[in-house]
Amino acid sequence: DLNRFKEVNDSFGHPAGDELLRQLGARLKKSLRSSDLVVRLGGDEFAVALVGADADRAEMVAARLIAAIEEPFLIDSVTARLSASIGIALVPDDAVDAAGIMACADLAMYRAKISGQPYAVYREDLDGGHGLPLVDELRGAIERCELELHYQPQLDLVSGEIVAVEALVRWPHARLGLVAPLEFLPLAEEAGLMGPLTAVVLDQALAQCAQWRGAGRRVTVSVNVSTTNLVDPGFPDEVARALDRHGLEAAALVLEITETTAIADFDRTNAAIEALRRLGLVVSVDDFGAGFTSLTYLSSLPVGELKLDRSFIVGLTSANGGRNLALVRATIALAHTLGLRVVAEGVEDKASLHMLTSLGCDLAQGYLISRPKPAAELAFDAPPMSGTSASRHARARVRSVFLAPRPQLGIER
Ligand code: C2E
Ligand code: CA
Ligand code: CA
């Protein structure tokens, strides 16, 4: 199963995706013997049959296939990078029929994904047999509300206070440990579990937010939602009910959608965002800049916040960061004229934080301020910022140059 293929398709278009698959086919063939079989099962899933091989050889070939897939692809002078997850199952040890062997390979593949390994060999005790298939374990964890949320604070660059937190889901798993979202969200998506997963996350995040607010901390909570949630016609009502249940005003919640979600299915997404905005909450465009959405295009969506992708922030202040700096400056200025609040993600060093402050960025999030942590361990005291008054001055100047009066965006200052 390829990772990130969907992003290539969404960002570069389907002809580019097709071209990539053609190049990939040739690479896979080159990594195999002529007696081996390689087929495309559909989408971004492939199967390889090795005749007369044992587990050792299968693992060796898997490693070789991964290496071939991870070599950058050049498509129309654009470089795309992929990775893949491989599941290995053996005939006749694991199963003797096609459906059975495919099911075993699939389970091993998901275990590889979830444990962050490039490949895994099917093991009855881990993937099936006495235990449950992973997807059933995940379904159970969602139903029993066993998913955990970590929260990462966002620093207001004007007031120097923590005014918001982003909720980030984790799956505590008995054998695999604390599983990261990027490892199990694809499984949830594929198994149709995104609806219930988001419902559980939303409920837990709002409960926590209500508790903070009850204790006098006026903080906003951001929750990530997937395309599947957004195109579900019942979703806005579900959000409204969740807010009600916790006695929270809509302004207490921000919903983050990724840039690719925002452009995937414009009509449906647009209607959903509008419905959410009417509830009074801010919809945020996550990972902005990672894809290829133009700001002009974005201006037609009723969103209230833009999160600058981490890739823009890295090297912002380094010698060769000039290009990023220009992009960040222009993006902030444009976002502000469109009435959008700007959050910088992945801020890891003080120099970047000060740069962002002087560029007029509104909020910052990143390891410098805090790693995501369980609510109980979160510190709301912002780290001391040296040179704040100078930055504030710079910021005021930037504002006066670029900013028209801005609409109320629902963030409490
Ligand atoms: P994201 O929404 O872009 O979240 C930010 C990710 O960047 C988090 O990874 C966070 O731990 C990491 N990060 C924060 N600050 C820094 C930094 O300074 N440097 C670096 N290198 N990384 C930083 P995490 O928690 O692994 O989440 C990964 C992604 O999973 C999230 O990316 C989001 O897209 C998705 N996700 C997380 N929770 C949920 C959820 O409840 N629902 C949905 N649909 N998606 C979620
Ligand atoms: Ca996010
Ligand atoms: Ca992000």
Side-chain angles (χ1 to χ4, degrees):
D1 187 55
L2 300 179
N3 301 323
R4 292 199 296 274
F5 178 68
K6 189 177 166 332
E7 283 167 45
V8 172
N9 247 341
D10 290 345
S11 308
F12 301 106
H14 288 267
D18 290 348
E19 172 57 23
L20 190 147
L21 288 176
R22 274 192 289 272
Q23 291 187 20
L24 180 74
R27 285 192 197 182
L28 296 181
K29 270 197 184 153
K30 257 177 66 185
S31 313
L32 297 167
R33 295 179 187 161
S34 58
S35 57
D36 300 331
L37 178 71
V38 55
V39 293
R40 180 176 173 216
L41 299 173
D44 57 355
E45 289 197 20
F46 293 80
V48 169
L50 306 177
V51 182
D54 57 7
D56 284 347
R57 183 165 129 77
E59 287 193 52
M60 207 184 69
V61 173
R64 200 157 67 213
L65 291 171
I66 297 276
I69 294 167
E70 288 182 350
E71 281 290 308
F73 289 86
L74 191 67
I75 300 156
D76 295 341
S77 72
V78 180
T79 307
R81 282 171 194 280
L82 289 186
S83 65
S85 307
I86 298 181
I88 300 170
L90 302 174
V91 181
D93 304 19
D94 300 329
V96 286
D97 59 311
I101 205 73
M102 289 298 298
C104 292
D106 216 36
L107 287 167
M109 188 270 288
Y110 272 118
R111 186 157 48 78
K113 251 192 218 303
I114 285 177
S115 55
Q117 305 296 317
Y119 60 84
V121 181
Y122 176 80
R123 277 183 47 194
E124 193 174 356
D125 54 332
L126 288 183
D127 300 319
H130 307 302
L132 286 170
L134 267 173
V135 61
D136 291 330
E137 289 190 286
L138 180 58
R139 185 177 293 113
I142 294 170
E143 278 165 7
R144 295 186 297 271
C145 294
E146 286 170 4
L147 299 181
E148 278 179 17
L149 293 186
H150 284 190
Y151 297 89
Q152 189 175 34
Q154 297 179 350
L155 181 70
D156 185 315
L157 294 176
V158 174
S159 69
E161 280 167 21
I162 304 296
V163 291
V165 295
E166 176 176 7
L168 295 156
V169 70
R170 275 98 182 87
W171 178 20
H173 188 282
R175 296 183 308 275
L176 301 168
L178 198 61
V179 184
L182 291 181
E183 313 293 350
F184 70 88
L185 289 173
L187 178 56
E189 196 75 70
E190 195 152 320
L193 292 173
M194 271 330 266
L197 183 142
T198 302
V200 169
V201 169
L202 189 64
D203 198 63
Q204 208 174 319
L206 291 179
Q208 184 57 57
C209 184
Q211 195 180 325
W212 277 322
R213 289 189 165 218
R217 200 168 283 294
R218 298 209 53 81
V219 62
T220 301
V221 70
S222 298
V223 170
N224 294 282
V225 300
S226 91
T227 317
T228 323
N229 302 130
L230 212 58
V231 299
D232 171 358
F235 186 64
D237 279 347
E238 193 188 306
V239 173
R241 281 197 305 274
L243 284 163
D244 265 358
R245 217 168 30 245
H246 296 283
L248 287 169
E249 52 171 345
L253 179 66
V254 173
L255 290 180
E256 298 190 5
I257 59 173
T258 60
E259 186 185 343
T260 34
T261 301
I263 57 170
D265 182 346
F266 188 82
D267 290 339
R268 279 206 285 175
T269 328
N270 193 34
I273 297 172
E274 178 55 33
L276 292 165
R277 196 195 55 82
R278 273 201 309 270
L279 289 180
L281 57 85
V282 169
V283 175
S284 174
V285 178
D286 204 356
D287 304 336
F288 186 80
F292 295 86
T293 318
S294 81
L295 264 174
T296 329
Y297 182 73
L298 205 69
S299 69
S300 54
L301 287 174
V303 297
E305 181 183 276
L306 196 146
K307 292 187 87 171
L308 281 174
D309 191 63
R310 179 160 69 239
S311 58
F312 272 142
I313 310 304
V314 221
L316 193 60
T317 54
S318 71
N320 54 5
R323 199 178 129 81
N324 272 0
L325 179 61
L327 279 168
V328 169
R329 176 185 284 128
T331 306
I332 292 174
L334 250 160
H336 281 170
T337 54
L338 294 173
L340 305 181
R341 172 171 79 202
V342 182
V343 184
E345 279 194 300
V347 181
E348 294 183 357
D349 59 276
K350 278 198 171 153
S352 300
L353 186 71
H354 286 131
M355 180 64 85
L356 288 160
T357 307
S358 68
L359 291 175
C361 185
D362 302 280
L363 299 168
Q365 180 181 345
Y367 292 167
L368 173 72
I369 297 146
S370 168
R371 293 204 172 235
K373 287 178 183 169
E377 293 168 29
L378 213 63
F380 280 95
D381 309 310
M385 283 198 287
S386 54
T388 306
S389 62
S391 312
R392 209 171 270 178
H393 185 70
R395 186 188 157 93
R397 209 171 55 230
V398 173
R399 268 180 172 280
S400 66
V401 175
F402 288 112
L403 291 188
R406 297 172 54 200
Q408 189 54 45
L409 290 171
I411 194 162
E412 288 97 351
R413 291 234 146 101

